[in-house]
Amino acid sequence: MRTLIGVTVLLFAQQVFAQDMPLTQVLIEKEPWQLVGEGFRFVESPASDKEGNIYFSDVPDSKIYKITPQGSLSLFARETGETTGLMFGKDGKLYGCRHKERSIVAYNLDATFQVVADNVTAHDLVVTSDGGIYFSDPSHKRIGYLSPQRSVAVVAKNLHPNGITLWHDGGTLVVTERDHPYLWTFRVEKDGRLSYREKYYLPLTLTSGSHLPGSDGMTMDRDGRLYVTSTAGLQMFDPTGRQGGVIVKPQQKHLSDIAFGGPQFNMMYVTCSDKVYRRKVKPQGIPFYGFSRDLSTNSK
Amino acid sequence: MYKTIRPCHSRTSYWVLWVVTCCVLLFTISYTTPAQAEEYHLGLDSMRHNDVPKGTVTRGIWRSQKIFPGTERDYWIYVPAQYQDSIPACLMIFQDGSSYVREDGDVRAPTVFDNLIHQGAMPVTIGVFLNPGVIPGSAPGKQPRKNRSFEYDTLSDQYARFLIEEVLVKLNKMYTLSDSPDHRAICGASSGGICAWTVAWERPDQFQKVVSHVGSFTNIRGGHVYPALIRKTERKPLRVFLQDGKNDLDNLHGSWPLANQQMAAALSFMKYDYRFVFGNGGHNYIHGGAIFPDTLRWLWRDVRTPSK
């Protein structure tokens, strides 16, 4: 029995080279970008709640908006201290960096908020399934970690971070780097420390005259693909760090960030300067880490 | 694709299940390897012979401390029976080592080494077979970070430094190795093939012999630029063997047949010491393995182990 399994495995093992993940696995023909919001000053940080509603920030206007899957737009919060880095936690709160006030906060659904970390400079954040928060601090060239118990520590230095995200199992952290073309990847240790940094992803610099790709916000899908916004468009990578393609930007302006939304989390929402777009795609994302709804059925 | 075989009480249904599984797998394999399964065969120099002294193969796990910290990888070291501490041996390093070292694989490097060294067709050479690194997850259920593409496809000297500053340092404590770069070869397939080229390109002071099987000279991580770089860079003292086939991959990263032909054309233009074998094969080791003995004869043709 074992011999037969072994022989069968050997037959298969001849094909040792990893599967490619081209854009045809992601894009749907005749499903282009759809405009869902416009007239903003500079939008960033889309974040999905468990229903697939998307919240995003108009940073210089200090406002947070909500857009439903049906496309209805409403104002969620004003005087947001130029909040960036929005993301829902498993607890249902919307976390963000009120960087004018040097704080990280948790917004309730009535737009009131609690400060969860004071005296921190943070640009983007990602909330882990146990309520910890990794945040990028570009002004001090470091990454901070706010533990579930709300102690703050510096977990990485000597980098100029911008966007930040996690692999879906929470075991690997990815950070964009403002001064270099690559994205940093770290292993997340059990106590929240980061280890074994590597320049694992290398987005393309396609715009002539540039020497940097202009990487900004990121997200991941359930198949382990990473999506990073850049000057060239939305760049997609497979789980081994190989580039799978560039999805063209909806308009020729700065593409800042991305999140999966919609009831099936198969709508890519991107913030692009003064407009917000969405696009239906084949893969699905998750709204927050620790999200457990079975997306393979249509149950709510 | 791979189906788990459940234990069956009935012997007949057990065999039927196995046959069905193999048919599925063979169909999958044949989809990517048309024709050449019949065309390319291992020859006598890839088979075991009772009168040929057999080298030893030992296995270990390499934990990188310096160049790829956090990574673990399996490795094998082959030492020929003819090796003596008093005479410096040549060295050949293989990426995706497990595929090259296997006794029943498509290449069977230790067997070929035994035969050719016994014939005097190549010098006494120690073979080092390294698998790509993996950074294990920090806890059960956390995905490991597979480092193969990062290590093999990246255009930098990082993998070369891993070999020189970690692997070679250890090997030199264990064996007497020649420190001449034309006594050092590096070999790989697919991403391992472009990796072999990159190591020699970056560090021709350490490695000057390259073997690439179905090398990925495509845009996985920018490797498609090599033909252009070769044409405009002063020639390096390298000896390069490339093998590819017209049924190799054509996908989002590029066309392997065209990329390998571009590499060969560039090497020819710059008058490199190279050989390019272009057959009908697909993205596998079959053709490269079948001609491996002749590849080694060509590669090592003017290098012989000095007698005592």
Side-chain angles (χ1 to χ4, degrees):
Chain A
M1 171 62 162
R2 254 178 274 168
T3 314
L4 281 173
I5 291 177
V7 169
T8 314
V9 169
L10 280 176
L11 271 175
F12 180 64
Q14 295 297 330
Q15 302 296 309
V16 292
F17 310 120
Q19 290 296 311
D20 290 310
M21 285 185 159
L23 282 179
T24 47
Q25 290 181 351
V26 173
L27 298 177
I28 301 174
E29 252 193 70
K30 300 195 174 83
E31 285 281 357
W33 292 109
Q34 298 171 337
L35 179 66
V36 292
E38 60 183 322
F40 307 105
R41 284 179 62 189
F42 187 83
V43 284
E44 260 199 27
S45 322
S48 178
D49 67 12
K50 62 178 167 43
E51 308 300 328
N53 300 304
I54 288 286
Y55 294 69
F56 60 92
S57 180
D58 188 342
V59 180
D61 227 18
S62 247
K63 291 194 173 90
I64 297 172
Y65 292 90
K66 173 185 170 182
I67 189 158
T68 67
Q70 295 71 33
S72 150
L73 179 75
S74 58
L75 181 67
F76 170 73
R78 57 174 75 245
E79 289 166 24
T80 64
E82 296 184 4
T83 295
T84 56
L86 292 171
M87 184 170 190
F88 275 91
K90 197 174 169 185
D91 58 5
K93 295 191 191 294
L94 179 63
Y95 290 84
C97 312
R98 289 180 69 104
H99 71 88
K100 269 206 120 170
E101 290 147 27
R102 294 166 52 87
S103 59
I104 295 175
V105 305
Y107 287 97
N108 304 305
L109 290 181
D110 61 1
T112 58
F113 62 89
Q114 288 83 43
V115 173
V116 294
D118 224 336
N119 234 4
V120 290
T121 42
H123 175 72
D124 195 6
L125 59 77
V126 62
V127 187
T128 67
S129 57
D130 62 357
I133 296 175
Y134 288 95
F135 59 93
S136 62
D137 181 359
S139 51
H140 295 100
K141 302 204 171 182
R142 62 192 182 193
I143 297 171
Y145 175 63
L146 181 65
S147 72
Q149 297 76 32
R150 299 305 177 229
S151 63
V152 182
V154 173
V155 286
K157 293 195 273 195
N158 301 319
L159 73 171
H160 199 173
N162 189 355
I164 192 165
T165 194
L166 280 166
W167 287 15
H168 279 189
D169 63 11
T172 303
L173 186 82
V174 186
V175 179
T176 64
E177 161 64 68
R178 285 185 178 181
D179 296 339
H180 297 283
Y182 41 77
L183 312 181
W184 289 110
T185 309
F186 298 83
R187 190 173 86 172
V188 176
E189 301 297 334
K190 287 183 233 186
D191 60 0
R193 280 178 309 114
L194 300 178
S195 61
Y196 306 136
R197 74 163 71 182
E198 220 171 28
K199 305 166 191 173
Y200 199 67
Y201 300 95
L202 184 62
L204 297 178
T205 301
L206 290 181
T207 320
S208 64
S210 308
H211 66 284
L212 290 172
S215 307
D216 202 338
M218 296 176 285
T219 195
M220 307 228 16
D221 71 24
R222 299 183 96 200
D223 301 313
R225 295 180 196 86
L226 176 101
Y227 302 85
V228 55
T229 58
S230 72
T231 311
L234 186 63
Q235 304 204 28
M236 182 269 282
F237 291 83
D238 74 17
T240 66
R242 296 180 302 186
Q243 219 235 21
V246 184
I247 300 169
V248 174
K249 294 196 285 198
Q251 62 168 350
Q252 288 311 307
K253 289 186 181 176
H254 183 79
L255 188 70
S256 61
D257 210 346
I258 174 176
F260 280 93
Q264 295 299 313
F265 304 102
N266 60 350
M267 289 282 191
M268 279 181 175
Y269 283 81
V270 294
T271 46
C272 191
S273 186
D274 58 336
K275 295 188 166 78
V276 180
Y277 295 82
R278 75 172 186 194
R279 185 171 187 169
K280 188 175 175 195
V281 291
K282 292 176 190 171
Q284 291 169 311
I286 53 171
F288 50 79
Y289 293 87
F291 180 72
S292 59
R293 196 183 84 200
D294 179 4
L295 293 173
S296 58
T297 69
N298 270 329
S299 58
K300 284 219 165 177
Chain B
M1 256 195 301
Y2 171 58
K3 285 162 64 177
T4 307
I5 299 176
R6 295 201 188 91
C8 293
H9 295 295
S10 153
R11 216 183 217 192
T12 310
S13 56
Y14 171 88
W15 279 101
V16 164
L17 197 58
W18 183 76
V19 166
V20 166
T21 306
C22 288
C23 287
V24 168
L25 290 171
L26 284 168
F27 174 77
T28 311
I29 292 168
S30 67
Y31 177 77
T32 54
T33 60
Q36 84 283 13
E38 296 89 38
E39 194 171 343
Y40 304 119
H41 300 286
L42 293 172
L44 288 174
D45 284 331
S46 304
M47 314 281 183
R48 283 276 172 218
H49 304 281
N50 289 334
D51 59 332
V52 173
K54 194 174 170 186
T56 56
V57 177
T58 53
R59 181 177 182 163
I61 295 179
W62 191 283
R63 291 181 173 86
S64 174
Q65 303 294 323
K66 190 177 165 197
I67 307 293
F68 293 115
T71 59
E72 297 180 352
R73 70 196 71 222
D74 290 325
Y75 72 92
W76 294 257
I77 300 179
Y78 159 89
V79 181
Q82 298 86 345
Y83 167 76
Q84 296 174 71
D85 272 336
S86 54
I87 304 177
C90 291
L91 174 69
M92 189 155 179
I93 296 190
F94 295 81
Q95 284 70 255
D96 295 313
S98 55
S99 296
Y100 281 95
V101 79
R102 281 173 47 201
E103 275 287 297
D104 57 356
D106 283 324
V107 186
R108 310 184 184 188
T111 302
V112 179
F113 275 33
D114 283 339
N115 288 329
L116 262 55
I117 293 170
H118 179 64
Q119 294 166 22
M122 68 179 274
V124 171
T125 304
I126 286 177
V128 178
F129 302 82
L130 294 158
N131 268 359
V134 174
I135 297 181
S138 57
K142 303 291 188 208
Q143 274 198 321
R145 193 188 322 159
K146 293 181 188 172
N147 240 28
R148 182 173 185 267
S149 176
F150 176 69
E151 293 178 6
Y152 288 3
D153 292 316
T154 300
L155 267 56
S156 79
D157 68 348
Q158 190 169 358
Y159 192 77
R161 287 190 295 111
F162 168 67
L163 295 180
I164 295 160
E165 296 174 33
E166 289 196 36
V167 177
L168 270 179
V169 168
K170 173 163 173 163
L171 288 174
N172 277 316
K173 290 182 186 149
M174 298 163 69
Y175 308 104
T176 307
L177 295 172
S178 171
D179 57 8
S180 173
D182 66 347
H183 293 172
R184 296 211 188 115
I186 178 155
C187 172
S190 189
S191 295
I194 187 175
C195 177
W197 164 262
T198 297
V199 166
W201 178 258
E202 292 283 343
R203 297 301 300 269
D205 61 310
Q206 297 286 335
F207 291 89
Q208 288 181 0
K209 290 178 161 52
V210 178
V211 175
S212 162
H213 298 129
V214 297
S216 300
F217 297 101
T218 51
N219 190 15
I220 298 176
R221 287 176 188 255
H224 63 297
V225 305
Y226 272 132
L229 283 184
I230 289 166
R231 288 175 182 264
K232 291 194 173 177
T233 307
E234 184 183 358
R235 187 177 66 229
K236 305 194 183 192
L238 307 179
R239 179 175 291 173
V240 187
F241 184 95
L242 304 174
Q243 174 273 324
D244 199 27
K246 72 172 204 245
N247 290 303
D248 202 352
L249 300 172
D250 185 328
N251 64 24
L252 67 154
H253 305 298
S255 159
W256 266 247
L258 288 176
N260 275 270
Q261 287 172 75
Q262 281 271 25
M263 281 294 290
L267 293 172
S268 171
F269 176 77
M270 291 301 289
K271 301 192 191 335
Y272 274 79
D273 178 5
Y274 85 100
R275 177 175 278 187
F276 178 46
V277 172
F278 188 68
N280 296 321
H283 201 68
N284 54 55
Y285 296 91
I286 295 174
H287 186 187
I291 60 173
F292 192 58
D294 280 344
T295 302
L296 292 177
R297 285 195 176 88
W298 177 84
L299 196 73
W300 298 105
R301 63 187 186 273
D302 50 4
V303 183
R304 287 296 172 264
T305 302
S307 44
K308 269 195 284 193

